[in-house]
Structures are given as structure tokens and as C-alpha cells.
Amino acid sequence: MSILNIGNHISKTVKIRRKHRERFLMVLSTLIFALLILNFIMNVDSISLSLTGDGTARSNGGIPSPHQIWSHCTITTAQLNDALTNDSITAIEADIMMDETGSFPVMAHPPSREYSLSFKGFFERIFVFNKERSSDDKKTKLVKLDFKEIEVVLPCLKNVASHNSDDVGQQHTQVYLNADILRGPGARTSDPVDGTKFAEAIKEEGGKLGKVFLSLGWKTHVARYYNSQGSYSSDDCAEMLELIQCE
């Protein structure tokens, strides 16, 4: 039974007036979705979405701890240096776009494409750092790659795969692949990262990436969300499940 069917049944049972029923269903759907997300977070130590040898996704154990100290929007050389030399930082998140000529991926955050660090240079620094740290039994740093447009995905995955192939059977760098691949609350008319093409890129390079984790979401706009331009719905959930379901 879908969330909306459950809501209809409840609203009829408690005799909610027709004019209030639509609002009731919207609130109920949002609440149930929030509870599902909370349930996932509470069980995150035993649930993950990683890639199999053929590039398909499956749920399994081994996901990194949710208790991380993050360096967010780490897109400049100085910010990366700070994150790598600060022992309290355990995870690095960075945004990726194409350079102004559309030639190669760079570390930049929309709307600006100005950069001081290419993705190739960024990932190489983290890879070498983690490899040296692991040989000394020191803690390595997790990296979360936030893809801001579909054009950067495949070249970045190829770069990650090339490092993994040189890793002598050991994977020193845990990688999250993050993108907003569907339209969400407050951004129903905005263009997300193309979910179908994202999945195709994952399929193409998945078997060469080693164990990586998918971190997928909806494109949203918080200000418009709170101005009554929608909420998460059962259709949002179904669309995401359809994209990531295992075959």
C-alpha cells in the first residue's frame, strides 16, 4: 500500500473534511518520509549502497562511520592543504564542475567556474596522502565527490579507477559519489544532474572503481521549500528507488 493510500484510509477513518484532506496527506507523506530517512540514519552502520564488480549497486555492510568531522566545499589548494594537515578532519567534501572551456573537471562551486585546483590534482593529493598514512597505520581521510553537472562524472570516475588499479590490491581512499539526480521540493523546475546518464557512467566504470559508496539526492531549494512550493512525496521516493534498484 502506498503512502498516499494509507493517508486516504486514515483520513476517511477519522472523518477529516474533504477540504482539509489534501493538506493532511501532504503533511503525512512528509512525516513518513522523514521517519524513513531517520530509520536509515539510525542503521547507517549496517547498511550501505556500494558497487559490485559489474557496476550495479547493492546494499551491504561496511559503510564508513557516520561520525565524521568534515571539511566542506574543499575546492582550493589552500583549503585542501588545511584539510589534509588538520588531524581532526576525517572527511573531505568537494564540488566538481567543468572548467570554463569545458575541457576538464575542476574543483569549483556554482555559479563560478574559477578554480585553483583541477580534479586530477585534487584526487592525486588525497590518494598519495592516504597511501602514505595507511603504511604508517595512521587514519586516512574519506572523500566525498559532489558532482555538480553530468559532464564531469565519467572523466572523474576514470581518474578514480586509474588510481585504484595502481593500488596494489588495497584501497586506501574511501570514496562517496554524490549528486542530486532528481528534482525535489522547491526546485521542481530546475535541472538536476541527469540521473540516467549518471547511472550509465557508474555502470561503465563501476567494476574498476573498487568499493565506492553512492550518496544520491534530490535537487532542492530550501527558501522556496518553506514558501509552500512542495514537499517530498511518495512519487519522489518511488522515482529514486527505480533509479537505484538492483537488477
Side-chain angles (χ1 to χ4, degrees):
M1 182 180 287
S2 72
I3 292 175
L4 291 180
N5 285 338
I6 293 172
N8 273 317
H9 177 73
I10 295 174
S11 65
K12 291 175 181 176
T13 301
V14 298
K15 297 182 180 178
I16 294 175
R17 291 182 180 179
R18 185 183 298 273
K19 66 177 181 179
H20 298 309
R21 187 173 297 170
E22 184 176 341
R23 182 170 180 81
F24 170 78
L25 292 175
M26 183 182 75
V27 172
L28 180 65
S29 297
T30 303
L31 177 61
I32 292 175
F33 184 73
L35 290 173
L36 290 173
I37 293 297
L38 179 61
N39 179 68
F40 172 79
I41 293 172
M42 296 298 291
N43 292 283
V44 74
D45 280 322
S46 60
I47 300 174
S48 71
L49 197 63
S50 61
L51 300 180
T52 64
D54 61 357
T56 56
R58 70 178 175 187
S59 181
N60 65 355
I63 194 169
S65 167
H67 305 294
Q68 304 286 343
I69 299 176
W70 288 88
S71 169
H72 285 284
C73 197
T74 313
I75 59 176
T76 68
T77 302
Q79 289 168 336
L80 180 58
N81 288 340
D82 288 344
L84 292 177
T85 55
N86 185 341
D87 285 338
S88 68
I89 298 294
T90 60
I92 298 172
E93 185 268 350
D95 308 288
I96 312 165
M97 301 177 68
M98 293 299 281
D99 76 313
E100 291 180 346
T101 66
S103 302
F104 54 90
V106 298
M107 313 314 294
H109 191 282
S112 174
R113 293 182 184 274
E114 292 185 10
Y115 71 96
S116 64
L117 194 58
S118 68
F119 174 78
K120 182 179 180 181
F122 169 86
F123 195 76
E124 176 70 18
R125 283 285 312 280
I126 295 176
F127 178 83
V128 171
F129 176 89
N130 280 342
K131 196 167 186 177
E132 291 174 350
R133 296 270 291 194
S134 62
S135 65
D136 295 331
D137 293 324
K138 295 179 180 177
K139 288 184 178 180
T140 58
K141 296 183 189 280
L142 178 154
V143 60
K144 181 178 180 180
L145 307 177
D146 189 350
F147 301 110
K148 293 301 185 184
E149 49 194 1
I150 190 61
E151 291 80 6
V152 303
V153 176
L154 192 54
C156 288
L157 295 186
K158 288 182 180 294
N159 187 283
V160 172
S162 70
H163 282 85
N164 188 56
S165 65
D166 294 334
D167 215 357
V168 227
Q170 296 180 330
Q171 190 168 351
H172 303 296
T173 303
Q174 294 179 309
V175 179
Y176 273 93
L177 307 177
N178 172 235
D180 294 333
I181 59 174
L182 295 172
R183 293 184 175 96
R188 299 295 183 186
T189 59
S190 301
D191 290 328
V193 172
D194 189 304
T196 301
K197 290 182 179 179
F198 184 87
E200 289 172 354
I202 294 291
K203 278 277 222 178
E204 182 174 334
E205 293 296 319
K208 308 170 191 174
L209 291 172
K211 189 172 185 179
V212 297
F213 302 92
L214 301 183
S215 172
L216 306 176
W218 292 262
K219 189 176 182 67
T220 62
H221 191 294
V222 175
R224 289 199 293 264
Y225 175 83
Y226 283 108
N227 283 330
S228 74
Q229 287 198 17
S231 59
Y232 286 108
S233 68
S234 57
D235 288 341
D236 290 327
C237 301
E239 192 176 7
M240 181 65 78
L241 287 173
E242 186 177 351
L243 261 179
I244 65 175
Q245 66 183 346
C246 306
E247 297 183 2

